[in-house]
C-alpha cells in the first residue's frame, strides 16, 4: 500500500485536503476523494474529511490503495440503440446511467462495454479503456454518441471536434423562464474549488460558449434547444445553473429536488438530440438524431398536463 508522510508546506496553507492530495501524489481530484473516503488521510490521530483544510507545518500522513486500471467489460445494455453503423464508425443513442468508457470511480455500464458485447470492433487509437471514443456524454445524459471503428475515422473525427466542425444540438428542460428566451452564454468554465466533482463559471476557466433558444414553455419550466461551440465538462449544466435556470432534475447544480421527484427524474433532463459532421469515409456531411428516452418523455407529459 503506497504511503506518504510530509509536513504541509507554506504554499498549501488553507488548501482543501482533496486538492492537496492531488498535488502531492499526482492522482486526480476524484481519486483523492476516494482516498479520503477510505480514511487514508490523517493529521496525527485525526482522520480527515474532504472539506478539511490544511495548515502549514502540520504533519500529514497519506495511505492509499493502488489505483485500479479501468478495463472494458462486455455487457448487454438495455436501451442502447444503434442509430447508424458502417465500416468507419458507429452512432449510438445512449441511455442514462451509462458512461462513455470505463474510468476510475465508475463501476457501472459503459458504451464501449455495450458495443463489445454486441461484437463491435472499435479503433485501437486512444488509451486502452477509451479506444475509439472521440467525444463523451455524462453518464446521466442520454442521446447521441459517435464511436470510431477505424484508425482514420478516429483521427479525423477527433480533428473535427477540436476544430469545432461538428454541430452538436442538445435539448434540455430548465427551471423557470430564461430572459431573454434565446441567447448566448459566453463564460469560462473550470473546476469548482468547493467540490471535487463539480465545475463552475470561473475567471481562470476554459473558454466556453453555449447558444440556446426556447422550444416550449411549461408552468415553471422551459424546454430549450442548445448548441455548443465548445465541449467543456458539464458545460450546459454549468452555464444554465449560472443563469439561475438549472436543468430540471440536476440537483448537483441547484435544481429543485421536489420538482425532480414530482417528474420522476433521477438525473438531469438533458438529451444529446442531434449531431452533424463530415463523414470520414465519404467526405459528405451527415446528420443523425435520437428520440428522447422514456424518463424524459414522462417528465414532459407531466409538465404538459
Amino acid at each position: 500500500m503506497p504511503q506518504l508522510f510530509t509536513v504541509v508546506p507554506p504554499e498549501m496553507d488553507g488548501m482543501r485536503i482533496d486538492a492537496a492530495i492531488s498535488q502531492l501524489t499526482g492522482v486526480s481530484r476524484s481519486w483523492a476523494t476516494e482516498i479520503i473516503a477510505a480514511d487514508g488521510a490523517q493529521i496525527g490521530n485525526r482522520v480527515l474529511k474532504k472539506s478539511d483544510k490544511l495548515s502549514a507545518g502540520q504533519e500529514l500522513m497519506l495511505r492509499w490503495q493502488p489505483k485500479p486500471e479501468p478495463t472494458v467489460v462486455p455487457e448487454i445494455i438495455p436501451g442502447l440503440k444503434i442509430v447508424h453503423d458502417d465500416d468507419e464508425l458507429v452512432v449510438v443513442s445512449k441511455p442514462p446511467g451509462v458512461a462513455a468508457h470505463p474510468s476510475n470511480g465508475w463501476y457501472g455500464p459503459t458504451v464501449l462495454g455495450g458495443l463489445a458485447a454486441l461484437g463491435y470492433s472499435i479503433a485501437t487509437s486512444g488509451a486502452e479503456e477509451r479506444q475509439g471514443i472521440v467525444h463523451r456524454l455524462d453518464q446521466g445524459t442520454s442521446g447521441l454518441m459517435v464511436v470510431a471503428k477505424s484508425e482514420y475515422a478516429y483521427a479525423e473525427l477527433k480533428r473535427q471536434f477540436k476544430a469545432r466542425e461538428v454541430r452538436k444540438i442538445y435539448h434540455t428542460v430548465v427551471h423557470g423562464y430564461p430572459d431573454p428566451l434565446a441567447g448566448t452564454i459566453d463564460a469560462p468554465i473550470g473546476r469548482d474549488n468547493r467540490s471535487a466533482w463539480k465545475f463552475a463559471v470561473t475567471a481562470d476557466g476554459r473558454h466556453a460558449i453555449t447558444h440556446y433558444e426556447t422550444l416550449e414553455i411549461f408552468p415553471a419550466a422551459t424546454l430549450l434547444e442548445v448548441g455548443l461551440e465548445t465541449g467543456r465538462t458539464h458545460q450546459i449544466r454549468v452555464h444554465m445553473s449560472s443563469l439561475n435556470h438549472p436543468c430540471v432534475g440536476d440537483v448537483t447544480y441547484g435544481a429543485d429536488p421536489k420538482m425532480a421527484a414530482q417528474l420522476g427524474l433521477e438525473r438531469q433532463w438533458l438529451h444529446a438530440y442531434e449531431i452533424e459532421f463530415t463523414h470520414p469515409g465519404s467526405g459528405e456531411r451527415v446528420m443523425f438524431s435520437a428520440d428522447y428516452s422514456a424518463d424524459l418523455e414522462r417528465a414532459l407529459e407531466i409538465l404538459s398536463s
Side-chain angles (χ1 to χ4, degrees):
M1 176 183 291
Q3 60 182 17
L4 173 69
F5 176 78
T6 187
V7 175
V8 177
E11 59 268 23
M12 287 189 174
D13 186 62
M15 183 178 290
R16 271 178 50 134
I17 181 59
D18 53 352
I21 291 174
S22 181
Q23 287 194 23
L24 289 168
T25 65
V27 303
S28 66
R29 287 279 289 270
S30 60
W31 188 248
T33 301
E34 297 283 341
I35 293 173
I36 298 165
D39 297 338
Q42 290 182 245
I43 296 290
N45 294 323
R46 182 168 67 91
V47 175
L48 301 180
K49 302 182 183 301
K50 69 177 183 179
S51 58
D52 286 335
K53 295 183 178 181
L54 299 176
S55 297
Q58 289 179 318
E59 295 181 343
L60 174 65
M61 173 64 76
L62 301 176
R63 298 185 183 87
W64 67 97
Q65 294 290 341
K67 186 164 59 173
E69 293 298 324
T71 57
V72 175
V73 178
E75 178 182 358
I76 295 295
I77 299 175
L80 181 69
K81 299 177 181 178
I82 305 300
V83 176
H84 174 81
D85 176 32
D86 60 40
D87 291 341
E88 301 290 344
L89 55 89
V90 57
V91 181
V92 303
S93 181
K94 183 184 83 66
V98 177
H101 58 75
S103 61
N104 291 309
W106 175 255
Y107 307 104
T110 67
V111 169
L112 288 185
L115 290 175
L118 294 173
Y120 281 86
S121 296
I122 302 303
T124 57
S125 298
E128 183 177 352
E129 73 278 6
R130 54 180 183 272
Q131 290 176 347
I133 296 293
V134 294
H135 70 124
R136 294 177 291 180
L137 294 179
D138 297 341
Q139 63 87 10
T141 299
S142 56
L144 293 169
M145 271 189 60
V146 182
V147 181
K149 294 171 68 176
S150 74
E151 306 309 312
Y152 175 73
Y154 178 86
E156 172 58 16
L157 289 169
K158 290 285 283 187
R159 185 200 66 77
Q160 289 186 42
F161 274 98
K162 185 175 182 179
R164 301 181 186 176
E165 296 174 4
V166 179
R167 177 174 170 268
K168 298 170 289 183
I169 298 296
Y170 294 75
H171 286 184
T172 184
V173 175
V174 300
H175 282 276
Y177 314 113
D179 183 14
L181 292 175
T184 296
I185 308 167
D186 185 348
I189 292 176
R191 285 199 173 273
D192 187 336
N193 291 329
R194 299 165 296 178
S195 169
W197 306 98
K198 294 173 61 177
F199 290 79
V201 170
T202 60
D204 59 349
R206 300 178 68 190
H207 184 223
I209 297 179
T210 301
H211 305 285
Y212 70 90
E213 61 180 74
T214 295
L215 295 178
E216 189 170 357
I217 294 176
F218 305 101
T222 305
L223 174 63
L224 301 177
E225 181 166 285
V226 179
L228 299 182
E229 283 194 29
T230 53
R232 307 306 177 209
T233 302
H234 297 180
Q235 179 171 324
I236 295 172
R237 300 166 65 189
V238 171
H239 270 173
M240 298 317 301
S241 178
S242 73
L243 296 184
N244 295 318
H245 297 290
C247 301
V248 169
D250 193 3
V251 295
T252 298
Y253 285 104
D256 181 0
K258 292 182 179 178
M259 177 178 281
Q262 291 169 353
L263 299 178
L265 286 174
E266 297 181 353
R267 51 102 171 197
Q268 63 270 13
W269 203 114
L270 180 59
H271 183 74
Y273 179 73
E274 190 173 283
I275 190 165
E276 181 181 328
F277 55 91
T278 301
H279 193 283
S282 68
E284 298 178 351
R285 292 294 287 184
V286 292
M287 187 272 288
F288 303 97
S289 60
D291 294 335
Y292 301 151
S293 55
D295 60 334
L296 302 188
E297 287 281 14
R298 287 195 299 271
L300 287 182
E301 290 173 3
I302 295 171
L303 285 169
S304 302
S305 61

